[in-house]
Amino acid sequence: MFLKLLYDGVDEKVVRILAFWYSNEVCYVRWNDVVSSGFKMGNGTRQGDVFSPLLFSRYIRELLDDVCSSGIGCFIGTQCVNILAYADDLVLLAPSWHALQSMLNILHIQSFAIDLTCNVTKTVYMIFMRKSRHRIFSTVFPLLQLAALLTICFTF
């Protein structure tokens, strides 16, 4: 992450401060009125921190660029819209099951390259049916896969 910031031309002093800040943070968990003892975080950005969305979006920029430049997605006129990102949430927009699977393949390759884990237990998909029912080809879809061995069993 910090190398990416340096590559982008962020001042070295600012990067050093961020690196120090993140490498020395101590976290606590509060559950009701009970607070845990402190523990060090090994990676990730701080939840609720003002810099976290910016740092995370920089961390996944290449992933976003690869999905965007794939040309796979939904089109509004000539503009391809295929991924929405906010903080650590991603939304993939695809016109078909096959297109979504292709985008998941890109996501898998890029997330592996940056050591990013996708939580498939918190992952869902939605299908919007056509208004014109006579143009629906199928309502049954194959299982989606995030990796060759990891099948995402979505229900809707």
Side-chain angles (χ1 to χ4, degrees), residues 57-117:
S57 65
R58 173 56 192 104
Y59 186 70
I60 65 169
R61 182 186 301 162
E62 289 80 11
L63 180 149
L64 297 173
D65 287 345
D66 275 9
V67 173
C68 285
S69 66
S70 71
I72 303 167
C74 299
F75 283 81
I76 301 173
T78 59
Q79 180 66 47
C80 181
V81 179
N82 55 12
I83 190 165
L84 306 173
Y86 180 75
D88 63 346
D89 293 318
L90 298 177
V91 177
L92 298 175
L93 302 170
S96 68
W97 173 91
H98 186 267
L100 181 56
Q101 182 60 62
S102 297
M103 292 168 65
L104 285 171
N105 294 343
I106 295 168
L107 179 76
H108 170 68
I109 291 166
Q110 281 300 317
S111 60
F112 182 79
I114 61 173
D115 196 26
L116 182 72
T117 304

Side-chain angles (χ1 to χ4, degrees), residues 2-142:
F2 304 116
L3 290 175
K4 291 180 180 202
L5 292 173
L6 289 171
Y7 179 78
D8 289 349
V10 175
D11 186 276
E12 183 181 338
K13 292 175 187 173
V14 172
V15 175
R16 284 182 185 271
I17 290 169
L18 287 171
F20 177 82
W21 188 19
Y22 274 93
S23 64
N24 291 295
E25 71 181 329
V26 176
C27 299
Y28 300 86
V29 175
R30 180 187 309 219
W31 182 260
N32 292 326
D33 292 329
V34 179
V35 178
S36 73
S37 53
F39 58 93
K40 284 201 168 260
M41 290 294 293
N43 57 12
T45 57
R46 295 176 175 178
Q47 185 174 354
D49 185 78
V50 69
F51 289 120
S52 293
L54 178 67
L55 292 173
F56 186 73
S57 65
R58 173 56 192 104
Y59 186 70
I60 65 169
R61 182 186 301 162
E62 289 80 11
L63 180 149
L64 297 173
D65 287 345
D66 275 9
V67 173
C68 285
S69 66
S70 71
I72 303 167
C74 299
F75 283 81
I76 301 173
T78 59
Q79 180 66 47
C80 181
V81 179
N82 55 12
I83 190 165
L84 306 173
Y86 180 75
D88 63 346
D89 293 318
L90 298 177
V91 177
L92 298 175
L93 302 170
S96 68
W97 173 91
H98 186 267
L100 181 56
Q101 182 60 62
S102 297
M103 292 168 65
L104 285 171
N105 294 343
I106 295 168
L107 179 76
H108 170 68
I109 291 166
Q110 281 300 317
S111 60
F112 182 79
I114 61 173
D115 196 26
L116 182 72
T117 304
C118 297
N119 186 345
V120 295
T121 62
K122 292 173 55 178
T123 303
V124 297
Y125 75 87
M126 294 187 291
I127 298 173
F128 297 94
M129 295 297 186
R130 293 179 173 265
K131 287 182 182 179
S132 176
R133 299 275 183 210
H134 71 279
R135 298 180 108 188
I136 296 175
F137 298 108
S138 177
T139 57
V140 179
F141 303 95

